Amino acid sequence: MSLNTLTIKKFHDGLLAKKFSALEVAQTFFANIKEHDPEIGAYLNLNEENAMREAETVDAAVAKNESVGMLAGVPLAVKDNILIKGQPATAGSKILEHYTASYDAGVIKKLKNEKAIFLGKTNMDEFAMGSSTENSAFQITKNPRDPERVPGGSSGGSAAAVTADLALAGLGSDTGGSIRQPASFCGVVGLKPTYGAVSRSGLIAMASSLDQIGPLTKTVEDAAIIFDAIRGHDPLDSTSADTNYGNELLNPDFVKIKELTIGVPEEYFVDGLNNEVKTAVESARKTIEGFGVKFKKISLPHTKYALSTYYIIMPAEVSANLARFDGIRYEQATSDKRQATSLKDVYFKTRGAGFGQEAKRRIILGTFVLSSGYYDAYYKKAQQIRTLIKNDFDEAFKEVDAILAPVAPTPAFKIGEKTEDPLSMYLSDIFTIPVNLAGLPALAIPARNYADYTQTNAENFPRESASSQRKSASLPIGFQLIGKPWREADILGLGQYYERTTIPEFYSG
Ligand code: GLN
């Protein structure tokens, strides 16, 4: 079975037309995973038995002509910081190596109701801290487009899985770019929803005022379908909200979409932005302009403070959230805590052995900026600047409906290229972080060269890795559409219109 252009809608149509069964498709994905994942490293663990059983349930329902939803039987990859009851959830950390989730995350409950299938849990930077998935305590994930390069991060496992046809779609989480940047690096679609649109219950917290779960998919339409299924209020997350999205998400009104005005922020197109990225974003702009959409120059003057603001607020929240991993409440890897001589020693031994370098760096930074005497100078100041950044967007949205920007300043970099230099790694989130600070929705879409895209699937993976010294010119590059709060419909509609013109194969019969 060719999975190359199988989208959620095509899967659904094929399932109902009995062209294939959910079980067959799940088996094909597991076969692909077994053949190719040893080289790619997208998955940390698989959920084969449950997945097969769930697929059979879906097939039984289809056989009885019961009505099944769009996501029934759809095989998904789930980032390992999202809890699925009874399954491991390591968040990429040694400290959670032996932890088994005791409940389902809010998004998982919703997807289970839709009868979606979970293939397994995917690799990630430890506690979602990173931009390359190299901070995982367990393994390196390779970019299926070029195995010498990183898939991006921190949701690199889910992005690689979708790219290499090891899952039909995936879930990631985005605190400062962790869905959008890997989507850009791998050439897939990633949506970071409005803060509060999706429940964070059962998401292992990184920075709670910034974290959101969202889809990683092959097409914008798939992202819309998954977003529509996982959004909405959850009593277990008081920051989650119900808003009236109507059916705009699934049935965009393209006539209205073409009347939108898009802002292009001057601060996002500065020296240091890689030329190929600049060209890719510009070509996407031209394509969209061709639809009749208007563009306007805008200014987001506080952009230059976003990265430093994030690297104060985020570690502050990280230091609080990671305090719970104390060696007592969660199963953890170290046995030397049994030799501990005091309670404090249990903490030291557990945390010393269980956390990796990046987690420790951020816990220390966060504890410092929250400490008495420094709180006002750092944390409070950062919160004030966060408001200014948000105000910039509010002002811009008085004139425009959405904003076009790059996702990351460069295409995927080489494995090992930035591991010794955390600051250069942090810079890869410079265009994604302001969106999290302002709580906005944003979509990463490949500025596509379809000829390249067809080579992203697993069938080509070994051939590619053996043959090619791929130039970065042929690496995927994403562009970003940033929307008004709760206006995912605008960016998803626009993105879908863009795709229907640039990759019609994914939308035709
Ligand atoms: N790369 C960013 C960081 O390291 C963002 C991570 C994320 O969005 N989870 O913090």
Side-chain angles (χ1 to χ4, degrees), residues 79 81 124-125 127-132 135 153-155 173-182 206-207 210-212 310-311 314 318 358 362 425-426 428-429 432-433 436:
K79 188 176 182 179
N81 58 354
M124 56 182 285
D125 287 301
F127 288 106
M129 299 175 204
S131 309
S132 67
N135 290 340
S154 62
S155 313
S173 67
D174 192 313
T175 304
S178 278
I179 290 174
R180 291 161 288 159
Q181 186 256 23
M206 177 182 165
L210 301 158
D211 300 340
Q212 274 291 287
Y310 173 82
Y311 274 95
M314 174 273 297
V318 160
E358 188 62 29
R362 296 193 194 194
M425 188 79 88
Y426 296 172
S428 53
D429 303 306
T432 45
I433 277 172
N436 299 74

Side-chain angles (χ1 to χ4, degrees), residues 2-20:
S2 166
L3 300 174
N4 285 351
T5 55
L6 191 63
T7 61
I8 293 176
K9 206 170 221 159
K10 285 187 182 188
F11 170 84
H12 180 70
D13 292 346
L15 186 71
L16 295 193
K18 308 204 164 82
K19 282 193 196 154
F20 44 71

